[in-house]
């Protein structure tokens, strides 16, 4: 079987930086990670083995610990102040590109815009973005767009939104709100965009796809979704153990891509397993 890897795939700089910082924390057993540091089961095991505790970000206030790690997905300033009341030190690994979304949304709100966030309302990144806003809505699909009773509409995106989806939602907002002044700030991050573009390119060359990434990873799911949209057979796996090569018996050329929280070593093992078939 011939395996073709996507030109750009796998871990992004935001996740790499968060991981690098996590590995240098001096008192891991006295440190709590607020939410999944990255949506990657191997990394979560590493965190536990280092002695750190991970608590769900749905906990309003985590139990006291000497240090708290904020994940690359970020939290609102409001939440950060709450966390600071229950710890001595915060390691903030928020990705600079997520910070940028917070800043853009805040700036638009300060100028009087009602904010439309394109993304998943339950996703931790979106919760962080809307946490400091007072007039906003979250839209996941074009069908959810309404006619808003505001003259100024400011739009930002969750960083891992599929560009074509964002485009469709923005168009729908224009269609439904023809008299509104609409300001769209495209905050889809470059690593997400380049990984999606690489998959688009790869889909022309392969018969089937394997997408490697955490089951909870939004950008991984978006890569899988792209394959489905192009009707290319595709499986999403977290590691090589989940990959059943029997599913690929009728294919000669298979493509591989991976979400932004996937370790290079995991991608390599998946490719080796496919190539050995
Ligand atoms: S996916 Fe984009 S926004 Fe998220 S951590 Fe990576 S670079 Fe940052």
């Amino acid at each position: 079987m011939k395996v073709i890897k996507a030109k750009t795939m796998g871990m992004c700089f935001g996740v790499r930086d968060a991981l690098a910082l996590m590995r240098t924390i001096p008192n891991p057993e006295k440190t709590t990670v607020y939410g999944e540091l990255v949506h990657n089961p191997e990394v979560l095991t590493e965190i536990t083995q280092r002695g750190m505790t991970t608590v769900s970000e749905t906990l309003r206030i985590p139990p006291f610990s000497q240090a708290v790690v904020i994940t690359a997905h970020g939290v609102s300033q409001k939440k950060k102040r709450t966390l600071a009341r229950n710890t001595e030190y915060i390691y903030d690994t928020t990705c600079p590109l997520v910070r940028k979304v917070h800043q853009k949304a805040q700036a638009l709100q300060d100028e009087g815009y009602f904010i439309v966030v394109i993304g998943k309302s339950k996703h931790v990144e979106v919760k962080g973005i809307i946490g400091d806003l007072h007039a906003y809505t979250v839209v996941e699909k074009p069908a959810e767009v309404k006619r808003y009773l505001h003259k100024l509409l400011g739009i930002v995106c969750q960083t891992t939104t599929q560009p074509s989806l964002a485009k469709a939602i923005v168009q729908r907002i224009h269609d439904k709100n023809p008299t509104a002044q609409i300001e769209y700030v495209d905050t889809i991050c470059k690593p997400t965009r380049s990984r999606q573009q690489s998959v688009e390119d790869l889909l022309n060359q392969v018969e089937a796809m394997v997408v490697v990434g955490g089951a909870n990873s939004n950008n991984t799911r978006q890569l899988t979704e792209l394959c489905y949209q192009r009707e290319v057979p595709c499986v999403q796996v977290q590691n090589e153990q989940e990959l059943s090569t029997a599913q690929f018996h009728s294919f000669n050329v298979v493509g591989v891509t991976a979400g932004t929280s996937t370790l290079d070593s995991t991608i390599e093992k998946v490719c080796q397993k496919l190539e050995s078939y």
Side-chain angles (χ1 to χ4, degrees):
M1 180 185 292
K2 184 179 175 189
V3 176
I4 308 181
K5 295 180 194 168
K7 205 165 151 204
T8 311
M9 66 171 162
M11 208 163 268
C12 61
F13 77 92
V15 171
R16 271 188 213 282
D17 289 354
L19 263 182
L21 190 139
M22 182 276 287
R23 287 172 177 149
T24 61
I25 290 174
N27 289 321
E29 68 290 344
K30 293 179 180 165
T31 301
T32 298
V33 184
Y34 189 57
E36 286 193 356
L37 189 70
V38 292
H39 299 310
N40 177 314
E42 282 152 335
V43 173
L44 297 178
T45 304
E46 182 187 337
I47 288 171
T48 310
Q49 283 170 349
R50 285 208 72 211
M52 291 180 183
T53 307
T54 296
V55 297
S56 165
E57 72 277 349
T58 55
L59 277 184
R60 207 175 68 79
I61 307 179
F64 179 86
S65 69
Q66 197 180 67
V68 167
V69 180
I70 292 172
T71 72
H73 298 110
V75 295
S76 64
Q77 289 303 314
K78 220 184 269 174
K79 176 65 80 179
K80 197 169 174 182
R81 285 194 290 274
T82 308
L83 293 175
R85 284 201 285 275
N86 219 23
T87 187
E88 289 168 16
Y89 192 80
I90 288 183
Y91 294 97
D92 189 349
T93 72
T94 305
C95 174
L97 300 183
V98 174
R99 269 186 221 284
K100 201 170 130 196
V101 191
H102 286 235
Q103 288 160 0
K104 295 284 182 195
Q106 206 60 54
L108 285 167
Q109 180 173 263
D110 293 347
E111 287 172 35
Y113 284 84
F114 175 76
I115 309 300
V116 182
V117 180
I118 297 176
K120 293 182 164 46
S121 57
K122 293 208 171 94
H123 192 280
V124 56
E125 182 191 319
V126 173
K127 284 184 183 168
I129 297 166
I130 61 177
D132 294 322
L133 300 176
H134 52 74
Y136 67 86
T137 188
V138 180
V139 173
E140 192 180 333
K141 302 176 196 140
E144 292 172 5
V145 172
K146 296 191 178 115
R147 183 172 177 273
Y148 303 108
L149 299 171
H150 301 270
K151 288 195 176 79
L152 301 178
L153 299 176
I155 311 169
V156 295
C157 312
Q158 183 178 341
T159 53
T160 51
T161 308
Q162 214 180 80
S164 57
L165 176 67
K167 197 174 163 199
I169 292 175
V170 171
Q171 185 56 54
R172 181 98 172 145
I173 293 171
H174 275 278
D175 294 346
K176 286 254 183 188
N177 299 271
T179 58
Q181 181 179 321
I182 298 171
E183 182 72 29
Y184 171 45
V185 187
D186 182 349
T187 50
I188 298 170
C189 78
K190 202 171 163 200
T192 292
R193 202 180 281 282
S194 58
R195 278 151 189 74
Q196 294 201 4
Q197 186 55 54
S198 291
V199 171
E200 295 263 19
D201 299 343
L202 192 56
L203 288 173
N204 298 324
Q205 309 166 46
V206 299
E207 296 163 307
M209 282 291 298
V210 177
V211 179
V212 194
N216 296 336
S217 161
N218 186 53
N219 72 83
T220 304
R221 273 199 300 266
Q222 302 284 14
L223 296 172
T224 305
E225 188 56 36
L226 259 183
C227 302
Y228 289 150
Q229 283 168 9
R230 293 273 300 271
E231 297 181 357
V232 173
C234 169
V235 293
Q236 183 180 321
V237 294
Q238 301 199 106
N239 49 45
E240 77 285 1
Q241 286 136 27
E242 290 183 8
L243 182 69
S244 159
T245 44
Q247 291 168 287
F248 295 90
H249 69 96
S250 59
F251 303 117
N252 295 315
V253 188
V254 173
V256 173
T257 188
T260 55
S261 45
T262 313
L263 297 170
D264 295 343
S265 55
T266 308
I267 301 171
E268 216 33 62
K269 283 181 206 156
V270 167
C271 289
Q272 281 169 6
K273 188 164 181 180
L274 282 168
E275 278 160 352
S276 72
Y277 187 62

